[in-house]
Amino acid sequence: MKIHTLKLNSQASMLTTALLAYGTTAWSADLPTLRDAFKDHFLVGTAINRAVTTGRGFRRSSEQVNTDIALVKAQFNQVVAENEMKWDSLHPRPGADGYDFRAADAFVSFGLNNNMYLVGHTLVWHSQTPHWVFAGTNPPPNTASAAPGTNRFGRYNGPRASREELLQRMRDHIHTVVGRYKGKIKVWDVVNEALSDGGTNTLRTSLWTEIIGPDFIAKAFQYAHEADPDAILRYNDYGLESSAKRRKLIALIQSLQAQKVPVHAIGSQTHVSVAWPSFAEMDRALTEMATLGLPIHITELDVNSAEGGQRSFGADIANNAATTQGGLVSDADRKLAEAYAGLFRAFLKHDPQVKMVTFWGPNDANSWRANGKPLLFDGNSQPKPAFHAVLAEAKRAAAAK
Ligand code: G3I
């Protein structure tokens, strides 16, 4: 008991030191790095946007963008495009000449030029998919899909493609995109967020399920494997910290495995809050996911510190205003540090299964949940106490070896 107390005291003192130092430790190239701290455990990555890959834009000054880029290059060894490889970005118009690969190519070039491990996000999703993908001549059912919007202009309720037409479009899209980056993109989020959040149905209702049927998932993985047999094909979803949604994930993946569908990894987005999950809850989630016998990737990690986000575990940007309102919780820096410490303690405990931890943004200024200040670096790329708390977990793991 005494040793345990001593350990806790040493962690607390590290955290206190970090809290006191915050604001005075400017980001600098000689700061310890996440990539080095965890190099014996898992890759540490981040989502990046086109400002980082092109060096300009996105409502940030060129000086701020340059600092963002330096932070990404110094701290991370894996990157994923936040938006630039989604269907509405790289295939906005119908057919073979409807592609626009400029932003995706810039992402791949940035990653290759900086020796990063590249992840592609995402091939098939109910959101950010252009309406043309689902359009056809079949009248929509009278109960028009309640599925959420297929892109930022809202859901598609027009006449629809047939199952065969939509499967062909999906196959053409996947073969073209995966084929273009074969050997460069190592992991693909083949299907994103197909599970339902509530109720007893395993899958959410979407235009993919309504037009093709539930086997759209198996087909997507089949097409991606055809296009690049060496790519790691991942199923990606949020809210898997919840036991109810995790049961659906396990049912889905076991069904795909029974059909010999080439699903090679689980992507757990981990958009969470300072209130939940604790180490114990994340430990249980990873233990149960590991029963599938597949590598686990933490794919979109951020920890919301806003009052409005402490009871929400969704990841739909449409709810972002609500989940980032109300200002920060009290003592936010300490709570964020303790939350991240617990999460990384769980990731390290499940090191054999956890192969990658990707943050959904390099710093708070580049976060879809900026008002929730959810990341390890603030808007000026200064390390927050949570950064030091995460490093302390790596040190603790090294000392325990
Ligand atoms: O690029 C357009 C721009 O031309 C236009 O002027 C502007 C205003 O309409 O919109 C811009 O597109 C926005 C896009 O981000 C790029 O900034 C979309 O409106 C906006 O909806 C989109 O939000 C992204 C969201 O996915 C879309 O659902 C977020 O940046 C992105 O962080 C978020 O990421 C998702 C993952 O892909 C899947 N998991 C959940 C996660 C959070 O929602």
Side-chain angles (χ1 to χ4, degrees), residues 47 49-50 58-59 81-84 86 88-89 121-122 125 127-128 151-153 189 192-193 236-238 269 271 299-300 302 314-318 320 360 366-369:
N49 56 39
R50 66 182 69 190
F58 248 72
R59 301 183 296 276
E82 182 176 11
N83 289 295
E84 290 67 28
K86 294 172 180 174
D88 74 346
S89 174
H121 172 81
T122 178
W125 188 22
S127 186
Q128 288 184 285
N151 66 19
R152 60 178 180 273
F153 306 114
D189 282 335
N192 191 49
E193 302 176 12
N236 190 46
D237 216 322
Y238 64 84
Q269 293 182 12
H271 291 294
T299 56
E300 304 183 12
D302 50 32
D316 188 333
I317 196 162
N320 224 6
W360 205 241
N366 286 279
S367 167
W368 72 298
R369 272 186 168 160

Side-chain angles (χ1 to χ4, degrees), residues 39-264:
K39 67 182 186 309
D40 297 332
H41 301 285
F42 35 71
L43 294 170
V44 182
T46 180
I48 55 177
N49 56 39
R50 66 182 69 190
V52 168
T53 58
T54 63
R56 59 185 178 281
F58 248 72
R59 301 183 296 276
R60 285 184 65 74
S61 70
S62 56
E63 184 192 2
Q64 287 172 322
V65 171
N66 290 336
T67 304
D68 297 344
I69 292 169
L71 178 69
V72 170
K73 290 180 177 179
Q75 290 289 330
F76 304 100
N77 49 24
Q78 176 264 318
V79 285
V80 58
E82 182 176 11
N83 289 295
E84 290 67 28
M85 299 197 100
K86 294 172 180 174
W87 200 314
D88 74 346
S89 174
L90 53 69
H91 197 180
R93 294 171 304 282
D97 57 2
Y99 291 91
D100 179 352
F101 285 112
R102 287 173 295 174
D105 286 352
F107 162 75
V108 172
S109 299
F110 177 89
L112 295 177
N113 293 340
N114 291 288
N115 302 313
M116 300 277 191
Y117 188 88
L118 295 180
V119 170
H121 172 81
T122 178
L123 296 172
V124 175
W125 188 22
H126 64 273
S127 186
Q128 288 184 285
T129 304
H131 287 176
W132 70 261
V133 176
F134 304 107
T137 55
N138 299 317
N142 49 17
T143 52
S145 159
T150 56
N151 66 19
R152 60 178 180 273
F153 306 114
R155 72 180 181 211
Y156 173 71
N157 283 323
R160 296 173 172 186
S162 66
R163 168 184 158 92
E164 291 68 29
E165 285 170 327
L166 186 52
L167 279 172
Q168 188 60 51
R169 289 172 191 168
M170 179 203 277
R171 186 176 187 280
D172 292 347
H173 178 81
I174 291 175
H175 274 221
T176 303
V177 173
V178 176
R180 183 182 183 89
Y181 301 115
K182 185 172 179 179
K184 297 174 181 174
I185 299 278
K186 302 298 186 186
V187 178
W188 278 103
D189 282 335
V190 176
V191 172
N192 191 49
E193 302 176 12
L195 296 172
S196 68
D197 282 331
T200 54
N201 291 345
T202 299
L203 300 183
R204 76 169 61 233
T205 298
S206 73
L207 289 162
W208 295 107
T209 58
E210 290 184 344
I211 296 173
I212 293 175
D215 65 329
F216 84 93
I217 299 173
K219 292 289 186 186
F221 278 89
Q222 173 197 324
Y223 299 155
H225 193 57
E226 289 166 356
D228 184 352
D230 298 326
I232 295 171
L233 304 181
R234 185 167 82 181
Y235 174 78
N236 190 46
D237 216 322
Y238 64 84
L240 302 179
E241 301 77 33
S242 145
S243 54
K245 191 156 185 186
R246 199 161 56 240
R247 278 195 294 276
K248 295 181 180 180
L249 170 85
I250 290 170
L252 170 65
I253 301 301
Q254 286 178 337
S255 166
L256 294 174
Q257 289 173 321
Q259 300 167 64
K260 304 279 186 268
V261 170
V263 53
H264 306 131

